[in-house]
């Protein structure tokens, strides 16, 4: 399949992570504001969408992709977080449920030009920073 999307980490040298995705997203774009996601993002939360693991091809920088396995999740099941060990950008995570489905939750900001993909589901919205507003039209979970 030909690539539909491409993305990068923040590294500017030739060894930086570049990837392509040859499938469409599986589920709606969602946000999560839980403590793990906001700390992981260094922001108010994560914006992510699932893709089939096999549709993601690492074009360069594979040696920089590092996995951190977080054990103390709310579900009690381990969650893998893949990030660039040089620039620190989180690429995607594989919580247990998605790992079994062979899917990765890709962070939309690392996909070129996809920052505008609007989340239609807000997870853990009661943990959202008090100074932010609900996303108009998005379902709250
Ligand atoms: Zn990097
Ligand atoms: Zn979360």
């Amino acid at each position: 399949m030909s690539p539909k999307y491409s993305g990068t980490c923040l590294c500017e040298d030739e060894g930086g992570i570049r990837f392509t995705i040859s499938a469409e997203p599986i589920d709606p774009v969602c946000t999560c504001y839980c403590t793990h996601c906001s700390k992981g993002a260094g922001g108010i939360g994560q914006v992510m969408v699932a893709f089939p693991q096999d549709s993601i091809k690492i074009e360069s920088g594979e040696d920089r992709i590092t996995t951190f396995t977080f054990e103390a999740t709310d579900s009690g099941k381990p969650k893998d977080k893949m990030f660039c060990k040089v620039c620190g950008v989180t690429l995607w995570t594989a919580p247990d449920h998605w790992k079994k489905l062979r899917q990765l939750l890709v962070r939309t900001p690392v996909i070129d030009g996809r920052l505008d993909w609007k989340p239609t589901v807000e997870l853990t919205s009661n943990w959202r920073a008090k100074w932010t507003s609900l996303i108009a039209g998005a379902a709250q979970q």
Side-chain angles (χ1 to χ4, degrees), residues 8-13 15-17 64 83-89:
T8 63
C9 66
L10 270 179
C11 290
E12 294 180 321
D13 63 315
I17 297 166
R64 294 190 184 183
F83 64 100
C84 176
K85 68 181 175 190
V86 175
C87 71
V89 163

Side-chain angles (χ1 to χ4, degrees), residues 30-33 36-41 44-48 90 107:
C30 62
T31 61
C32 186
Y33 306 107
H36 308 153
C37 285
S38 54
K39 283 198 179 190
I44 60 167
Q46 303 272 15
V47 185
M48 58 206 149
T90 300
R107 301 310 189 237

Side-chain angles (χ1 to χ4, degrees), residues 93-121:
T93 50
D96 191 66
H97 171 74
W98 285 269
K99 197 172 182 175
K100 286 179 177 142
L101 296 171
R102 293 192 53 75
Q103 295 174 7
L104 294 171
L105 291 178
V106 179
R107 301 310 189 237
T108 59
V110 299
I111 305 173
D112 296 331
R114 302 298 152 177
L115 200 56
D116 286 334
W117 274 358
K118 185 183 172 187
T120 53
V121 177

Side-chain angles (χ1 to χ4, degrees), residues 13-104:
D13 63 315
E14 277 183 18
I17 297 166
R18 289 187 300 114
F19 63 91
T20 54
I21 306 175
S22 58
E24 294 296 338
I26 295 165
D27 295 317
V29 177
C30 62
T31 61
C32 186
Y33 306 107
C34 77
T35 307
H36 308 153
C37 285
S38 54
K39 283 198 179 190
I44 60 167
Q46 303 272 15
V47 185
M48 58 206 149
V49 71
F51 283 97
Q53 189 174 323
D54 294 339
S55 73
I56 301 173
K57 184 179 173 210
I58 308 303
E59 306 284 352
S60 73
E62 188 151 22
D63 59 319
R64 294 190 184 183
I65 299 177
T66 307
T67 300
F68 172 71
T69 302
F70 186 64
E71 305 279 354
T73 61
D74 290 335
S75 69
K77 293 173 180 162
K79 175 165 94 172
D80 291 340
K81 165 184 157 158
M82 276 65 89
F83 64 100
C84 176
K85 68 181 175 190
V86 175
C87 71
V89 163
T90 300
L91 301 165
W92 38 73
T93 50
D96 191 66
H97 171 74
W98 285 269
K99 197 172 182 175
K100 286 179 177 142
L101 296 171
R102 293 192 53 75
Q103 295 174 7
L104 294 171

